[in-house]
Amino acid sequence: MSLPTNNLIVAAPVYPQLDALANTLIHTKYKGFGPHALEDELQNLHRQAFQILLAGLLGTATNWEGLIIVKAALKLYPQDTELKELQDDLKIAFLDRSRGYMELQHEMKKEDLIEATRMGKIYQKKYPWMDQDLYKRTPKTLREANKGFETSSCEVKTVIFGDAKPSVAQEGEDVGPLGIFATRDIEEGEIVMVDKTLTGVSNVPSRKLEHCDACQGCLIPPYMHPEKIVHASCCGKAAYCSLECYKLASEGYHKVLCGQDFDWLYEKIGSVNKSGAGSHWKPVNFLRVIAVVLSDMRKSKTKAKIHPLQHPLVARMSANYPPDTKVFDQYDSSHSWLYFTNVIAPTQILLQLGVNLYTDPFWTQEVIQTIYWRIENNANMATTNLTGKETHLVNINPNYLFFNHSCEPNISWHGACPSGHVGIDWLMTPDGELLQPGCSAVWCIAARDIKKGEELKISYVGNPKGDEDAGSEGGREGKRAWLSKWFDNGCGCAICDEENRLEKSKANKKEEHQPNADFEMKGVVEN
């Protein structure tokens, strides 16, 4: 029996091993069934799978994708009443959300408005049934992280809040929240860090040879002479700005990706997203991160298999989880979720890279989603037009990701140069190296004098005061709303604390007047 797919699922290579496993399971479970009975039972299972999937999509408010899938399901099973009810529920939910966003149609771009109506929403929580040790950042993680800071003026340490007494985590224990601290006095304007990365991607496929596949540096004249470009001899679908980038790629992640066709991923992203990176960058970034992880796993000389969540790159990243005791309500900040982005794309990526999701206990959907959340919480974005059109970069910079936020940051930062009009110092490293224009490195610069031992912090929300973009991003109020993704009650800086004090004062005054208002209303009712 051949079960058709819907247009959310991209055509992928046939997996003989999976076909064999499926056939073995079917013939074992339904041994003795006649051909017609087996056909009926398989159709029943297929219909139930649609019902369960659609109920899940409705629960995650992924109404648009649900409507696409239920339309395909009803073509196969037009008399199924449960599918019809799910279609009605999805349609009502989608229209309700669309009407809510219509009030914002003059404040949002058309493309962003459409995406907002189609985006699902979830709350991030740790999976309680997953091995809790996989969530820990241990002393080993900390030592591995500090290897990248050996020649810098800072280090990664555990953050101590308030009057809490510092404690030393034992091997295997969680070290707690981490931050970057100065190991000496740093002067204003000093470059604190230039963090290069191989886990940067863009919305332009590498096969177009417009950027270095490793560092994302621009390969278009006048930023790169054609004769200096290093081309991959293995597949011809990647090019590099230097021999160093070529070696890093060819000896690492490119071995995993070489010969694979991931055009379907870029085509799908392009068909649903016309403005900026949006939320659709996640599968592309996931692909690069997983290629690095799989490359290291396959090169490892140890017999013990490393869990993907304990790979040094993935283990250092933390997701943005609320406290275990938190009970969510309708006003809590939710996270974007899409069936294609969060389930179909990573599943197909791993299968295409030779990972058997059906037999490998390490690669469960919970592990995949946890990696997604870590990538989402640690990625930074940049935009450049060096190739003559706007290109969006999304990067995981392994050292930069340890910076915490403050609305009074002592570190400013920038990524890829936005255009050819910036000065040459934009690309300069502390040791005088000139990096390739458009590359995925991040430059971190002291915004003021910093004392030894002081924590280094950046702003996660651009200009945290919001006084330069009050119209486009809602000013300071919009910044506080944005910060609610990470903080329930502000970041703890003087600005947030003063705002909290004023808000509390207003609330107290309102409560003081409330009894009088209630008394007056009672008198009116009695009279």
Side-chain angles (χ1 to χ4, degrees):
M1 176 182 177
S2 177
L3 301 178
T5 60
N6 61 76
N7 63 357
L8 280 178
I9 302 176
V10 186
V14 176
Y15 303 102
Q17 187 179 7
L18 177 58
D19 289 343
L21 287 169
N23 279 318
T24 301
L25 174 64
I26 290 168
H27 285 97
T28 301
K29 183 176 176 66
Y30 300 106
K31 186 176 181 181
F33 276 57
H36 295 296
L38 182 60
E39 180 83 8
D40 289 343
E41 186 61 25
L42 286 174
Q43 284 194 349
N44 184 47
L45 289 173
H46 191 218
R47 186 167 56 249
Q48 287 180 39
F50 268 125
Q51 293 166 355
I52 294 169
L53 171 60
L54 290 165
L57 295 179
L58 181 63
T60 57
T62 319
N63 307 310
W64 176 258
E65 287 181 307
L67 286 169
I68 294 173
I69 292 172
V70 77
K71 184 178 179 181
L74 283 170
K75 283 184 178 180
L76 297 171
Y77 310 108
Q79 304 305 317
D80 190 289
T81 56
E82 186 169 342
L83 288 176
K84 290 179 180 178
E85 289 174 4
L86 284 164
Q87 185 181 45
D88 291 340
D89 292 342
L90 287 162
K91 189 178 295 183
I92 291 169
F94 176 73
L95 291 174
D96 282 347
R97 177 185 284 184
S98 297
R99 280 191 286 269
Y101 274 103
M102 285 303 291
E103 299 175 3
L104 303 174
Q105 60 181 317
H106 301 299
E107 301 175 22
M108 298 174 66
K109 292 180 181 178
K110 181 181 178 181
E111 297 85 353
D112 295 336
L113 189 65
I114 292 172
E115 180 170 324
T117 63
R118 298 180 179 185
M119 187 65 64
K121 295 291 182 182
I122 60 168
Y123 294 117
Q124 289 184 1
K125 291 279 283 185
K126 291 180 180 178
Y127 295 104
W129 55 85
M130 201 163 77
D131 183 354
Q132 298 302 292
D133 285 344
L134 297 175
Y135 292 112
K136 294 178 181 178
R137 293 192 290 187
T138 63
K140 180 181 178 182
T141 311
L142 188 56
R143 289 193 298 272
E144 187 70 31
N146 272 313
K147 289 179 181 178
F149 290 81
E150 289 175 348
T151 60
S152 72
S153 56
C154 47
E155 65 178 343
V156 181
K157 289 169 49 179
T158 299
V159 176
I160 307 298
F161 295 100
D163 298 327
K165 294 182 178 180
S167 60
V168 179
Q170 301 301 308
E171 290 299 323
E173 293 181 346
D174 191 275
V175 295
L178 298 174
I180 300 177
F181 293 81
T183 54
R184 60 169 175 80
D185 291 346
I186 301 172
E187 295 182 359
E188 180 180 355
E190 185 178 338
I191 297 177
V192 175
M193 177 198 306
V194 177
D195 193 18
K196 304 176 187 178
T197 184
L198 292 176
T199 46
V201 296
S202 81
N203 59 324
V204 179
S206 292
R207 62 173 175 75
K208 292 194 173 183
L209 309 182
E210 295 179 0
H211 61 264
C212 174
D213 185 57
C215 77
Q216 304 299 309
C218 181
L219 299 181
I220 303 297
Y223 307 105
M224 188 73 187
H225 194 288
E227 292 181 1
K228 292 185 177 181
I229 298 174
V230 180
H231 292 273
S233 57
C234 49
C235 62
K237 291 186 177 182
Y240 304 92
C241 68
S242 66
L243 192 59
E244 178 188 3
C245 277
Y246 169 73
K247 287 182 177 179
L248 287 171
S250 61
E251 294 173 4
Y253 73 87
H254 188 71
K255 280 187 175 181
V256 176
L257 300 177
C258 187
Q260 298 288 343
D261 183 2
F262 285 100
D263 283 356
W264 59 267
L265 190 55
Y266 288 91
E267 288 166 4
K268 182 65 182 179
I269 291 170
S271 68
V272 295
N273 181 50
K274 303 294 183 184
S275 173
S279 65
H280 307 286
W281 56 267
K282 296 175 189 175
V284 181
N285 220 167
F286 177 83
L287 172 62
R288 178 58 63 89
V289 169
I290 292 306
V292 170
V293 171
L294 291 177
S295 171
D296 289 345
M297 283 181 171
R298 292 168 185 176
K299 286 190 298 184
S300 176
K301 295 179 180 179
T302 60
K303 291 184 179 180
K305 187 177 178 182
I306 302 172
H307 194 285
L309 289 176
Q310 293 176 322
H311 180 276
L313 174 62
V314 181
R316 70 176 55 203
M317 293 190 275
S318 64
N320 184 31
Y321 294 117
D324 294 337
T325 56
K326 182 173 178 63
V327 178
F328 290 102
D329 61 38
Q330 60 178 324
Y331 301 107
D332 282 307
S333 179
S334 56
H335 294 262
S336 300
W337 194 90
L338 285 169
Y339 181 50
F340 172 81
T341 299
N342 290 70
V343 179
I344 294 177
T347 298
Q348 185 164 321
I349 285 169
L350 287 165
L351 287 171
Q352 200 168 327
L353 295 180
V355 176
N356 193 330
L357 297 173
Y358 305 95
T359 59
D360 192 328
F362 281 1
W363 291 98
T364 64
Q365 285 297 326
E366 293 87 348
V367 169
I368 294 169
Q369 190 61 60
T370 300
I371 294 174
Y372 256 67
W373 287 343
R374 291 185 186 183
I375 290 174
E376 177 187 353
N377 194 47
N378 291 275
N380 65 83
M381 298 184 180
T383 302
T384 177
N385 64 5
L386 297 177
T387 61
K389 59 181 178 294
E390 204 168 68
T391 301
H392 301 276
L393 281 73
V394 184
N395 313 309
I396 299 291
N397 295 80
N399 299 326
Y400 164 87
L401 62 82
F402 287 108
F403 280 113
N404 290 317
H405 166 86
S406 173
C407 296
E408 298 178 303
N410 52 16
I411 295 290
S412 63
W413 68 276
H414 69 76
C417 49
S419 68
H421 301 298
V422 299
I424 199 72
D425 57 336
W426 185 287
L427 302 167
M428 197 71 70
T429 68
D431 56 5
E433 182 185 3
L434 195 64
L435 299 189
Q436 185 65 18
C439 73
S440 52
V442 170
W443 282 255
C444 302
I445 303 157
R448 60 168 172 78
D449 289 345
I450 300 169
K451 294 293 185 182
K452 179 181 178 179
E454 187 177 348
E455 185 177 2
L456 309 183
K457 294 186 177 183
I458 61 172
S459 169
Y460 290 174
V461 294
N463 173 14
K465 296 181 180 179
D467 47 16
E468 294 177 1
D469 44 25
S472 61
E473 296 183 10
R476 175 61 186 171
E477 186 177 342
K479 300 296 183 179
R480 276 299 295 258
W482 196 354
L483 285 172
S484 66
K485 174 181 176 181
W486 297 282
F487 309 103
D488 282 337
N489 203 27
C491 71
C493 72
I495 296 174
C496 287
D497 286 349
E498 177 62 14
E499 289 171 344
N500 293 342
R501 187 190 67 76
L502 292 173
E503 190 65 31
K504 186 176 181 180
S505 177
K506 287 181 183 179
N508 290 338
K509 287 180 180 178
K510 187 175 180 180
E511 287 179 5
E512 289 172 3
H513 289 87
Q514 191 65 41
N516 293 332
D518 291 343
F519 180 79
E520 290 171 5
M521 180 58 69
K522 181 179 179 183
V524 169
V525 172
E526 289 176 349
N527 291 333

